Structures are given as structure tokens and as C-alpha cells.
Amino acid sequence: MLKVILLVTIIILFQGCATWSGVKQDSKQAWQATKDTTSEAYDGVKKSIHNATE
């Protein structure tokens, strides 16, 4: 019984680590996409304001 509990605990810990790595990678990709999109939006607004004030 003790071996089964230990085995289940180890499996859960390894799954948690794999999940944490996945979450970190996904959040990194999401942050990069947010930065790229924000940068594009900023440039677009800047051009629009420049064109409107010419």
C-alpha cells in the first residue's frame, strides 16, 4: 500500500512539473504575441495621427 501511495505521489509530481513547463512556455509565447500586436497597433496609431495632422 505504501508503494502505491509513493508511486502515485511521484507520478503527480512529475505531471505537475511537465504542466508547469508547458504553462511557462505558453505564457512566454502569449506575452511575445501581445508585445508584437501592441507594437503594431502603436505604430498604426502613430501613422494615423501623423497623416491626420499633416
Side-chain angles (χ1 to χ4, degrees), residues 17-31:
C17 291
T19 302
W20 178 247
S21 296
V23 167
K24 283 174 44 177
Q25 183 179 4
D26 289 347
S27 65
K28 182 179 177 181
Q29 290 173 347
W31 179 246

Side-chain angles (χ1 to χ4, degrees), residues 1-53:
M1 183 68 177
L2 182 60
K3 289 181 181 180
V4 172
I5 292 173
L6 183 61
L7 180 63
V8 169
T9 304
I10 290 172
I11 290 172
I12 290 172
L13 286 175
F14 280 120
Q15 286 179 342
C17 291
T19 302
W20 178 247
S21 296
V23 167
K24 283 174 44 177
Q25 183 179 4
D26 289 347
S27 65
K28 182 179 177 181
Q29 290 173 347
W31 179 246
Q32 186 62 42
T34 301
K35 288 192 318 186
D36 293 343
T37 304
T38 303
S39 185
E40 290 173 11
Y42 173 78
D43 291 339
V45 169
K46 189 175 175 181
K47 274 186 176 179
S48 297
I49 291 172
H50 179 70
N51 290 339
T53 57

